[in-house]
Amino acid sequence: MTYTFITLAFVGLILFYWLYVLVSNCFRTHFSFFNAQKNGLVPVMQATILSAKTIKPGKHPWLEIQIVLENFVGHTIHRTIRFRDNQPQLERFVPDKVIHVGLDLTKRPHDPVLPMYIKQPTSVVFVLFCSLLTIGYIAGCYFLVGEALSRIYLLPKTYERVFATSAVWQLGLAFVVISIVLRWLLTRMGLFVKESTKLQNWDLFYKGLGTTAIVKEYRDTGILINENPKVEFLYTFMDYSGQIVKGKDQKVVEKLKNAKLSMMSDKEIMYLPDDPSISRMLENLGDHGTQKTIGFYMKLGLFVFSVIVVSFFCLDIFQK
């Protein structure tokens, strides 16, 4: 029953993963701000608008504003946020105006900044749709898994032979190997950020202090991204207690700037007050479109793979 167990475990893991994604996006994300406000987890802070522009006009236009505010430890940071303005006639979002923003801790490691003037209504239609979708998905999984287990129970040896030559576990094994290698390559190139790194970057930006670090050494890592070298910087800085701390970080340097590296004597960095050994260059803590795009395509590839695997599993079960 080895191949049967491996196949069932693999298919079950896929079904459970997409159930988690469904529930997370439909309910946890939608109600996170409401629950955070109810539990007092959204501190309100003042922010000054540096610039504002309309990225999608209409009755309720989408705005993109750049603001300056203090993070959770009082250090000044800059953020760019996008949202829909429900009352554009009030002209609340103009340069040099002070607005109130909430910092939603439950969104970690996503951007927690939200203008407090913007209403976050709970759509009854959306909740109903998500509920029906979740119920339908669970019912479909229950039928598929129940039918598969009942058939395997009646003909265990037959299905063991079927699964031994099935494409389900073979595709799964190939996908796992390819995913590990691809993830390692993208992480090494800096095009993919691990979840632990995202959490650390979030803590640095929203709970960290900023200072100027002195670059002591830099070296080529041998990695090229779009034919531009990735360089590792070794630096030192003084923390809030006056201690000298060492740190290092990497960034891609354009070819034209490569010859001017010797002129880069300092860098703006962020570090954690509780653990100054954790630090990064400020420019590496922002949102990068390339990383979001890669993450989207990886999730899309996983979805296509899941559909193919479950389809092969259904063929193996219902053709016998």
Side-chain angles (χ1 to χ4, degrees):
M1 298 293 289
T2 301
Y3 292 105
T4 301
F5 176 79
I6 294 175
T7 302
L8 290 176
F10 192 73
V11 173
L13 184 63
I14 290 176
L15 296 177
F16 180 79
Y17 170 77
W18 287 111
L19 175 62
Y20 167 78
V21 172
L22 178 62
V23 173
S24 177
N25 285 277
C26 282
F27 298 103
R28 186 179 64 86
T29 302
H30 190 69
F31 292 110
S32 63
F33 184 76
F34 173 78
N35 291 330
Q37 280 188 312
K38 183 179 179 181
N39 296 324
L41 299 177
V42 184
V44 179
M45 299 182 180
Q46 288 187 341
T48 302
I49 300 177
L50 300 178
S51 65
K53 66 178 181 179
T54 302
I55 57 177
K56 187 177 180 181
K59 183 178 180 180
H60 302 296
W62 278 93
L63 302 182
E64 179 183 271
I65 64 174
Q66 293 184 353
I67 60 175
V68 57
L69 70 156
E70 292 183 348
N71 64 8
F72 291 105
V73 296
H75 183 77
T76 301
I77 58 175
H78 294 78
R79 291 304 299 153
T80 299
I81 57 177
R82 295 182 177 184
F83 55 90
R84 186 187 296 275
D85 187 1
N86 298 319
Q87 296 177 305
Q89 70 277 7
L90 299 180
E91 298 183 353
R92 296 169 296 180
F93 306 104
V94 295
D96 298 326
K97 188 172 183 178
V98 176
I99 62 173
H100 290 89
V101 296
L103 297 181
D104 186 358
L105 288 169
T106 63
K107 289 186 177 296
R108 181 176 179 264
H110 303 292
D111 193 350
V113 181
L114 181 74
M116 298 305 293
Y117 303 107
I118 304 302
K119 297 180 180 180
Q120 299 293 312
T122 300
S123 173
V124 176
V125 176
F126 178 81
V127 173
L128 180 61
F129 172 78
C130 288
S131 300
L132 293 176
L133 186 62
T134 303
I135 293 172
Y137 181 84
I138 294 175
C141 292
Y142 179 80
F143 169 77
L144 175 61
V145 175
E147 186 67 19
L149 291 177
S150 64
R151 290 174 179 244
I152 292 172
Y153 179 78
L154 294 175
L155 300 170
K157 293 183 179 180
T158 300
Y159 280 103
E160 176 67 10
R161 290 193 297 268
V162 170
F163 290 136
T165 58
S166 174
V168 174
W169 67 269
Q170 297 178 38
L171 282 174
L173 181 60
F175 179 81
V176 169
V177 173
I178 294 174
S179 297
I180 292 176
V181 174
L182 182 61
R183 186 186 180 96
W184 179 81
L185 288 174
L186 292 175
T187 302
R188 178 173 170 78
M189 294 172 63
L191 298 177
F192 182 81
V193 180
K194 296 184 293 185
E195 190 68 17
S196 58
T197 303
K198 291 180 181 179
L199 293 172
Q200 188 179 88
N201 288 348
W202 194 96
D203 288 338
L204 283 168
F205 195 77
Y206 289 104
K207 296 182 179 180
L209 294 175
T211 187
T212 300
I214 306 301
V215 178
K216 296 296 184 180
E217 183 182 353
Y218 59 88
R219 55 193 179 203
D220 193 346
T221 61
I223 300 174
L224 293 177
I225 300 178
N226 293 330
E227 298 185 353
N228 294 317
K230 191 172 187 180
V231 178
E232 181 176 67
F233 292 84
L234 304 178
Y235 53 80
T236 60
F237 63 93
M238 182 180 296
D239 67 7
Y240 71 98
S241 64
Q243 299 293 321
I244 301 299
V245 183
K246 294 181 180 180
K248 63 180 180 180
D249 200 2
Q250 299 179 353
K251 68 167 297 208
V252 178
V253 179
E254 296 180 11
K255 281 186 175 181
L256 295 178
K257 296 181 180 179
N258 198 25
K260 301 180 181 180
L261 280 175
S262 58
M263 301 174 59
M264 297 183 184
S265 58
D266 51 49
K267 285 284 185 182
E268 295 297 321
I269 62 118
M270 298 283 287
Y271 70 93
L272 293 180
D274 297 335
D275 188 1
S277 63
I278 299 177
S279 64
R280 290 207 73 186
M281 291 187 290
L282 181 60
E283 55 200 286
N284 285 340
L285 299 179
D287 296 328
H288 301 288
T290 303
Q291 296 173 357
K292 292 183 178 179
T293 302
I294 291 176
F296 169 77
Y297 281 113
M298 291 185 69
K299 185 67 70 68
L300 179 62
L302 178 59
F303 176 77
V304 173
F305 164 77
S306 301
V307 172
I308 293 174
V309 168
V310 174
S311 298
F312 277 123
F313 178 73
C314 292
L315 290 176
D316 290 338
I317 290 295
F318 296 107
Q319 283 187 352
K320 300 299 176 183

